[in-house]
């Protein structure tokens, strides 16, 4: 049974890569948007660009994983293709995990390009195992968040609108551009309940940008966020087929 | 191919592949399926006949694990639908009413993807896919994207997808809806062929002629309830109608209807093209009256036969619904 589920998760993810992710809209949203955003900051202040690299990597993680999830889940729900997957001898959880894994694989590809590009061009020293671990855990957390928000609604446009809210809130509050420590106390507390804060912190520490954080805490918090997003998402999807 | 008598005997003695007891489904407080009971025997074509909204698709959704029953139990291929549906899915295939494969993938890619999901061994996936595409006459279209195929071709690929893991049981939900006459006919032949190969078929339809042609047994579903379940012939025998026969004279005189209605033993006459439908007290009195009239007028009787009740007559009598009402609801033909 678990073998069937693992096989299903893998093939659904690969199919989604082929049909949705490796297409111009997803690629451009996943990689071009963070690049354009950071370019704007670079042109404003080129001297401090190295400090912006963790934020650039974190933003790529966030936008690439959630780039096509509304299409991958809501569009398929609407067309009935998701029902076709549910008719296969795999569990509903495996179908949703396949969808989440598709976002993770695509996000990893996009983030790898941005990370390798910036780290090598700027000659940054990275703790590679921690950096990869933080990126992978973040990819799972954001892909699960995307899946949860998508199954909350019916239509593709509703899902895209709903996804934009946490994405843009996190850009401003999680240390991508402005350090969390510089935020007003009330906002700072809010930043600590957002997963991107831990991605930025984990990437900063892996690249040696800051020394004060706790990367082990980042790892556990990102795992916790993933679980907190995945389980309700599975419940909500099951409710649609109750 | 096995002889017909042998096939019938085998079906009589076969084990149940589906057993349903008290199956009930509410949607937002509305009763969609109302405590239905039935069995489907191994090797038969079982028809679920009813108008739109009768609960046919809801029943299929429950039996295939896409929806949870509100009450009642069902076993599919020996597996309880509440606890063992994932195992049952390995042995059945489903053709939904809508052809819902992936537009972005080719016919071949869609079928290979289904083979991957169903755990078909990797060295057999392409071989089985190509075999199915050949069976459906779509081998030349294997590289065509699903979105570019005609409606009939999409239907065929969707059925092929349901067969990729060689299921013992095939659920077909309104398989010919939206197909032209040629495609519908070829699909019906294919269903018969699959059944002859040993696949048990569970078919929902609102086309009476389709149910009559294909099904060994038919359950008539109205407002969520099974109101009749039997073979097509037995359902027709439930119809209480006055004796009738169909006759064609050569030549047919202009005043034939009024003349015949004056004959003793004939109650009324209806024309249907060159044929006449005569209704009377009994078959002997009808035939006597017909031969007497032909002799009086010097007419030749080109054909004569007893007119049997149709499945349509049975449906109308059992459900109290008009056939038109049933077809109009689905925009049927």
């Amino acid at each position: 049974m678990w073998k069937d589920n693992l096989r299903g998760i893998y093939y659904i993810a690969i199919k989604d890569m082929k049909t949705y992710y490796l297409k111009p809209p997803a690629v451009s949203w996943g990689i071009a948007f963070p690049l354009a955003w950071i370019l704007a900051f670079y042109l404003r202040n080129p001297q401090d660009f190295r400090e912006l690299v963790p934020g650039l990597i974190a933003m790529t993680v966030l936008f690439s994983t959630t780039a096509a999830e509304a299409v991958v889940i809501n569009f398929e729900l609407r067309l009935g293709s998701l029902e076709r997957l549910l008719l296969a001898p795999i569990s509903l959880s495996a179908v949703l995990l396949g969808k989440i894994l598709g976002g993770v694989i695509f996000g990893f590809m996009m983030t790898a390009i941005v990370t390798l590009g910036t780290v090598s061009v700027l000659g940054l020293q990275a703790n590679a195992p921690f950096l990869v671990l933080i990126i992978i855990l973040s990819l799972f957390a954001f892909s699960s968040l995307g899946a949860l928000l998508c199954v909350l609604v019916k239509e593709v446009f509703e899902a895209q609108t709903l996804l934009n809210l946490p994405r843009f809130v996190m850009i401003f509050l999680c240390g991508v551009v402005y350090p969390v420590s510089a935020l007003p106390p009330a906002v700072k507390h809010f930043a600590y309940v957002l997963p991107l804060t831990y991605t930025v912190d984990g990437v900063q520490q892996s690249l040696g940008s800051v020394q004060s954080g706790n990367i082990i805490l980042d790892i556990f918090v990102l795992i916790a966020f993933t679980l907190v997003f995945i389980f309700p998402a599975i419940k909500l999807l099951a409710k649609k087929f109750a | 191919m096995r002889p017909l008598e042998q096939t019938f005997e085998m079906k009589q003695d076969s084990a149940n592949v589906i057993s349903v007891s008290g199956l009930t489904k509410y949607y937002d407080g509305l009763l969609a399926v109302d405590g239905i009971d039935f069995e489907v025997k191994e090797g038969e074509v079982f028809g679920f006949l009813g108008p739109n909204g009768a609960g046919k698709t809801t029943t299929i959704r429950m039996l295939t694990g896409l929806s949870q029953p509100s009450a009642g139990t069902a076993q599919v291929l020996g597996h309880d639908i509440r606890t063992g549906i994932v195992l049952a899915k390995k042995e059945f295939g489903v053709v939904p009413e809508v052809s819902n494969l992936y537009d972005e993938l080719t016919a071949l890619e869609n079928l290979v993807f289904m083979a991957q999901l169903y755990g078909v061994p990797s060295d057999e996936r392409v071989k089985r896919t190509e075999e199915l595409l050949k069976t459906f006459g779509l081998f030349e279209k294997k590289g065509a994207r699903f979105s570019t195929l005609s409606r009939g071709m999409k239907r065929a690929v969707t059925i092929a997808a349901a067969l990729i893991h060689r299921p013992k049981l095939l659920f077909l939900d309104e398989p010919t809806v939206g197909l032209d006459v040629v495609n519908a006919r070829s699909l019906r032949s294919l269903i018969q062929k699959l059944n002859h190969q040993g696949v048990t078929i569970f078919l929902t339809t609102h086309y009476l002629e389709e149910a009559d042609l294909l099904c060994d047994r038919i359950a008539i579903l109205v407002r969520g309830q099974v109101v009749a379940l039997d073979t097509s012939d037995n359902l027709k025998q439930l119809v209480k109608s006055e004796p009738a026969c169909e006759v064609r004279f050569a030549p047919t005189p202009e005043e034939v209807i009024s003349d015949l209605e004056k004959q003793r033993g004939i109650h009324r006459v209806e024309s249907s093209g060159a044929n006449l439908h005569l209704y009377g007290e009994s078959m002997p009195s009808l035939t006597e009256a017909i031969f007497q009239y032909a002799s009086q007028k010097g007419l030749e009787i080109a054909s004569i036969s007893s007119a049997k009740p149709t499945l349509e007559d049975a449906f109308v009598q059992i459900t109290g619904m008009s056939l038109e009402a049933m077809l109009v609801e689905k925009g049927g033909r």
Side-chain angles (χ1 to χ4, degrees), chain A residues 167-180 183-184 187-188 190-192 194 196-197:
Chain A
R167 282 195 289 215
F168 284 100
V169 167
M170 285 195 281
I171 287 174
F172 290 105
L173 300 184
C174 297
V176 171
V177 182
Y178 308 104
V180 174
L183 295 171
V187 182
K188 195 190 294 182
F190 184 55
Y192 286 123
L194 297 172
L196 196 67
T197 302

Side-chain angles (χ1 to χ4, degrees), chain B residues 20-33:
Chain B
V20 172
S21 174
L23 202 64
T24 304
K25 180 69 184 179
Y26 284 93
Y27 278 121
D28 300 326
L30 291 173
L31 186 58
V33 174

Side-chain angles (χ1 to χ4, degrees), chain B residues 65-128:
Chain B
L66 284 179
S67 177
Q68 295 298 311
S70 307
T73 58
Q75 300 259 323
V76 176
L77 295 156
H79 301 282
D80 189 291
I81 58 166
R82 291 177 197 270
T83 55
I85 194 67
V86 177
L87 290 172
K89 284 176 186 177
K90 288 186 176 187
E91 298 177 83
F92 68 68
V94 184
V95 180
E97 190 176 345
V98 179
S99 301
N100 56 1
L101 294 178
Y102 292 95
D103 278 348
E104 299 81 0
L105 300 181
T106 65
L108 184 91
E109 287 169 337
N110 265 303
L111 296 189
V112 168
F113 174 54
M114 287 301 142
Q116 290 167 336
L117 280 185
Y118 278 87
V120 175
S122 54
D123 54 339
E124 279 188 43
R125 286 173 197 155
V126 174
K127 193 179 137 208
R128 277 200 207 178

